[in-house]
Amino acid sequence: ANIAGAVLIIIKASFSACVFILTERLVESLRLPQVPTLHAQVFLFFRVLLLRMSPQHLTSLWPTMITELVQVFLLMEQELTADEDISRIAGPSVAGLETTYTGGNGFSTSYNSQRWLNLYLSACKFLDLALALPSESLPQFQMYRWAFIPEASDDSGLEVRRQGTHQREFKPYVVRLAKLLRKRAKKNPEEDCTARVIAWEPGHLLLTLYTIRSMEQLLPFFNVLSQVFNSKVTSRSAGHSGSPVLNTNAFPSKDIKLESQKVFWSKARQNIEEMVEKDFLEGLIKT
């Protein structure tokens, strides 16, 4: 967190020469056994790098950042699936109990552990930032985003025939997690967030929470991302419970001058940086 804070207040060009040292130290920390508190701070550091480093200096970091994000989403999926299996076998009486299991990569996680919830939130905030920034600021990320969110032409799991057998296309992680979270929310009415709707606007962050009590609080976030970039949904101003409500007026119009678009994104970036600074300060207060 201290490194992230230092980078946050440094001008872009002044530390570009240190990118290789930063990368080495980051990779070294990720080689340690999975510690959720450490990895939550790593995702905060990732967010600072997105804001402070140029696209060319981020190129070598993207494989690491994407790998870590995928690992966390797989953990979330594993936890939600395991919880669903436990409920199916033992019935609803175990709902809400803390259960511990070992993942395929050799470390353990606990259901409803606050440390892991902080990691899940931090990873989601990293994805939130990557999607909020203009694509020209993160050109390399555009090659990976299909793995996380459905695009306008993506049917997210459409069945196809290959060599005489039925196979399903890859489903983006947010689609898979949204489905699992909706199932869990139905079993825990007190944590049901399906009725909560997040308004999506370009250049704005969706996640403004500093902490979560349960994974269900992330359901509105996954609901929005699983639908907002799909043309079938963006044509509507509102959908069923949990669907995004789009503010189409927030898009810079095509006939607006380039200078106006620069002003729009400059203000949006300033607001985003203020949110990241608050996250950093919140972490210092807790420690």
Side-chain angles (χ1 to χ4, degrees), residues 69-79 173 176-177:
L69 185 58
V70 167
Q71 286 297 320
V72 173
F73 282 171
L74 287 174
L75 272 175
M76 295 175 68
E77 189 174 35
Q78 180 184 16
E79 182 172 335
Y173 286 104
R176 288 148 57 177
L177 289 169

Side-chain angles (χ1 to χ4, degrees), residues 109-151:
T109 180
S110 297
Y111 170 59
N112 275 345
S113 167
Q114 188 60 53
R115 294 180 304 157
W116 289 96
L117 290 173
N118 292 340
L119 172 58
Y120 300 155
L121 177 60
S122 188
C124 288
K125 285 188 173 185
F126 171 73
L127 178 61
D128 189 18
L129 175 60
L131 294 171
L133 292 174
S135 58
E136 57 268 23
S137 297
L138 304 175
Q140 293 90 355
F141 174 69
Q142 310 313 311
M143 297 185 295
Y144 300 103
R145 58 183 283 160
W146 63 269
F148 302 102
I149 60 170
E151 303 291 352

Side-chain angles (χ1 to χ4, degrees), residues 7 22 44 83 101 202-203 237 239 259:
V7 174
L22 289 171
L44 173 60
D83 182 50
Y101 56 90
S237 61
E259 188 63 28

Side-chain angles (χ1 to χ4, degrees), residues 217-268:
Q217 287 181 266
L218 294 172
L219 177 56
F221 170 72
F222 285 111
N223 272 340
V224 170
L225 292 188
S226 64
Q227 302 173 61
V228 75
F229 294 99
N230 190 311
S231 59
K232 295 177 182 179
V233 175
T234 53
S235 61
R236 301 196 301 264
S237 61
H240 58 76
S241 179
S243 294
V245 176
L246 302 181
N247 184 356
T248 54
N249 293 326
F251 285 94
S253 176
K254 292 181 180 179
D255 58 355
I256 292 181
K257 294 180 180 179
L258 181 61
E259 188 63 28
S260 298
Q261 294 186 20
K262 288 182 179 179
V263 171
F264 172 86
W265 284 113
S266 176
K267 291 181 179 179

Side-chain angles (χ1 to χ4, degrees), residues 21-207:
I21 298 175
L22 289 171
T23 304
E24 288 177 1
R25 296 294 179 266
L26 194 61
V27 171
E28 285 176 8
S29 69
L30 293 173
R31 287 173 183 161
L32 298 173
Q34 182 90 355
V35 181
T37 303
L38 171 63
H39 278 238
Q41 293 301 317
V42 167
F43 278 108
L44 173 60
F45 186 46
F46 285 162
R47 283 192 284 155
V48 172
L49 292 181
L50 295 190
L51 293 170
R52 284 292 179 265
M53 292 183 71
S54 62
Q56 58 267 33
H57 287 120
L58 282 172
T59 301
S60 61
L61 283 172
W62 276 113
T64 299
M65 293 190 290
I66 294 299
T67 298
E68 292 306 309
L69 185 58
V70 167
Q71 286 297 320
V72 173
F73 282 171
L74 287 174
L75 272 175
M76 295 175 68
E77 189 174 35
Q78 180 184 16
E79 182 172 335
L80 290 166
T81 304
D83 182 50
E84 184 179 0
D85 292 340
I86 291 172
S87 298
R88 187 184 300 114
I89 296 171
S93 59
V94 299
L97 294 180
E98 183 170 306
T99 57
T100 303
Y101 56 90
T102 302
N105 42 12
F107 51 84
S108 300
T109 180
S110 297
Y111 170 59
N112 275 345
S113 167
Q114 188 60 53
R115 294 180 304 157
W116 289 96
L117 290 173
N118 292 340
L119 172 58
Y120 300 155
L121 177 60
S122 188
C124 288
K125 285 188 173 185
F126 171 73
L127 178 61
D128 189 18
L129 175 60
L131 294 171
L133 292 174
S135 58
E136 57 268 23
S137 297
L138 304 175
Q140 293 90 355
F141 174 69
Q142 310 313 311
M143 297 185 295
Y144 300 103
R145 58 183 283 160
W146 63 269
F148 302 102
I149 60 170
E151 303 291 352
S153 59
D154 182 16
D155 288 319
S156 300
L158 179 67
E159 287 193 359
V160 295
R161 287 185 177 273
R162 290 180 182 169
Q163 299 177 350
T165 61
H166 279 289
Q167 295 184 6
R168 294 190 68 82
E169 296 285 356
F170 173 81
K171 283 189 177 183
Y173 286 104
V174 299
V175 175
R176 288 148 57 177
L177 289 169
K179 182 178 179 180
L180 289 170
L181 283 169
R182 282 192 290 268
K183 288 183 179 179
R184 178 188 272 194
K186 291 179 181 178
K187 298 174 184 177
N188 301 294
E190 66 280 1
E191 296 289 347
D192 192 353
C193 297
T194 54
R196 186 178 167 224
V197 177
I198 297 179
W200 182 84
E201 297 179 5
H204 290 73
L205 297 175
L206 292 169
L207 287 173

